[in-house]
Amino acid sequence: MKPSLKSLAAGLLASWVLLSSIPVGAQEAVEVPGTTVTLTPPAGFTPAEGFAGFVDDETEASILIVELPAAAHAQLAPLFGELRLAQAAFASQGVAVASLTDVAGADDATVPVLAGTQSAGGVTFDKWIALYSGEMTVMLTIQAPQGETLGREQVEQTIASVTLGPRPTLDEKIAALPFEIAATAPFRVIDTIAGSGVLMTAGARDVDPDGRQPVIVVAQQVAGPVSPDALEEVAETLLSETQGLTGIEIEDRERMVFAGHDGILLHGTARDNERIKRFSQYLSFADEGRSVRLVAIADDYQFEEVSAAIEAVAASVIFKN
């Protein structure tokens, strides 16, 4: 079963929304660790520490790179070939697509670019999304708060500067993450997510559209500081926004140390496609506002079998720097 264009776009945009509140003219070409991408960012942009891309701390602009398997290009290309399709697909995630243009890229390639706006955290961002095809399918998103000095010419120069190299090894991608983590059997790493997260599963399939295998997703975010008193509320809000889970029932709440900082563990049940699931969610914040969240999900009858491995994976997570 292949995911629909709508569901694929929704999943990708969820990661953009997650990162769109991150505070973020020419330089030399820079290889983005853990990706196939090399590009020349505008002046003022430096490599990001929490995701695959670049930030401008002064203007709060950012460049985010998301890579997918090569086969995903055929599924995403229609969204970048017809404006009305793009507008319909991205509107559900709060992105108002206004235009679709082509930019001349490296080696005479034509790069389709969607431009529009998105509001997050009370700020409206200008947003450009470009699609590339190589050993990996690459989506590059450039955004800046409206009124800042990042203009169309700078954006197009950045998009045109992108070159794609060989696919990095899984070990190289894991090494580029902003946190340390180790898989414990039966879990294994499938891939990293936008340079800021990692996906693990326990089972033979790398792709499990029916959600039959246990999974662990760990991701770092950057947000404002959170007081200890608000940690539980923030954890419950994030849990409620977890894609695919409904009817969430929290059975246990436990204050504990996670990723080397005071954190909270939520455990309970939910539904996914009418099946009963069990989950554990770990969350903690570092002093500078960085957070890391681990969500483990398995069918009710499987959870006890993998619970010790989940705890071991959680114990291995630690912020870098």
Side-chain angles (χ1 to χ4, degrees):
M1 177 190 296
K2 294 183 178 180
S4 67
L5 287 173
K6 182 177 180 181
S7 63
L8 183 56
L12 289 168
L13 278 165
S15 69
W16 296 329
V17 170
L18 198 68
L19 293 167
S20 64
S21 62
I22 298 174
V24 231
Q27 305 185 107
E28 295 182 354
V30 180
E31 293 185 11
V32 182
T35 77
T36 64
V37 175
T38 297
L39 63 79
T40 304
F45 282 76
T46 58
E49 295 183 355
F51 59 93
F54 302 83
V55 295
D56 183 331
D57 291 323
E58 183 175 346
T59 65
E60 299 190 341
S62 64
I63 301 171
L64 170 67
I65 294 162
V66 174
E67 292 195 318
L68 298 162
H73 188 271
Q75 296 177 303
L76 288 168
L79 296 182
F80 288 80
E82 184 176 337
L83 181 59
R84 285 184 297 176
L85 269 180
Q87 289 172 329
F90 288 83
S92 63
Q93 300 297 326
V95 179
V97 176
S99 66
L100 169 62
T101 57
D102 290 331
V103 171
D107 300 324
D108 298 322
T110 298
V111 182
V113 181
L114 300 172
T117 59
Q118 182 180 24
S119 295
V123 179
T124 298
F125 293 86
D126 290 322
K127 202 174 192 88
W128 298 265
I129 307 166
L131 180 69
Y132 302 83
S133 178
E135 287 195 29
M136 301 289 287
T137 297
V138 176
M139 297 185 70
L140 181 143
T141 300
I142 303 174
Q143 66 178 27
Q146 287 189 333
E148 295 298 338
T149 58
L150 189 61
R152 177 176 175 177
E153 182 177 356
Q154 289 177 299
V155 169
E156 292 188 353
Q157 287 175 348
T158 302
I159 290 170
S161 76
V162 171
T163 59
L164 304 181
R167 182 188 311 185
T169 67
L170 186 56
D171 285 344
E172 289 171 335
K173 296 171 80 170
I174 293 172
L177 290 169
F179 51 82
E180 303 280 356
I181 189 169
T184 297
F187 287 98
R188 57 191 174 85
V189 176
I190 296 298
D191 207 348
T192 59
I193 307 167
S196 64
V198 64
L199 171 65
M200 298 183 185
T201 190
R205 296 180 178 180
D206 285 350
V207 179
D208 180 27
D210 296 325
R212 298 287 180 179
Q213 297 179 171
V215 296
I216 294 175
V217 180
V218 188
Q220 176 180 288
Q221 296 173 245
V222 179
V226 173
S227 71
D229 292 341
L231 186 57
E232 185 170 328
E233 180 181 355
V234 171
E236 291 186 14
T237 298
L238 291 172
L239 181 63
S240 70
E241 296 170 351
T242 302
Q243 189 174 3
L245 294 186
T246 61
I248 294 171
E249 297 284 346
I250 299 173
E251 297 176 346
D252 297 300
R253 297 170 173 83
E254 178 186 346
R255 292 282 181 152
M256 41 90 73
V257 174
F258 175 54
H261 296 269
D262 291 339
I264 189 167
L265 168 62
L266 303 181
H267 180 75
T269 62
R271 288 186 173 274
D272 180 10
N273 294 328
E274 302 306 316
R275 296 204 313 276
I276 299 296
K277 297 280 190 178
R278 285 207 163 268
F279 67 82
S280 287
Q281 176 186 272
Y282 297 75
L283 175 69
S284 72
F285 284 80
D287 294 338
E288 60 272 29
R290 292 184 299 164
S291 72
V292 63
R293 181 169 75 122
L294 181 154
V295 181
I297 303 170
D299 283 335
D300 185 41
Y301 73 92
Q302 294 177 309
F303 198 90
E304 186 173 351
E305 298 174 7
V306 296
S307 61
I310 293 169
E311 291 173 7
V313 172
S316 75
V317 178
I318 190 74
F319 286 106
K320 292 180 180 177
N321 302 323

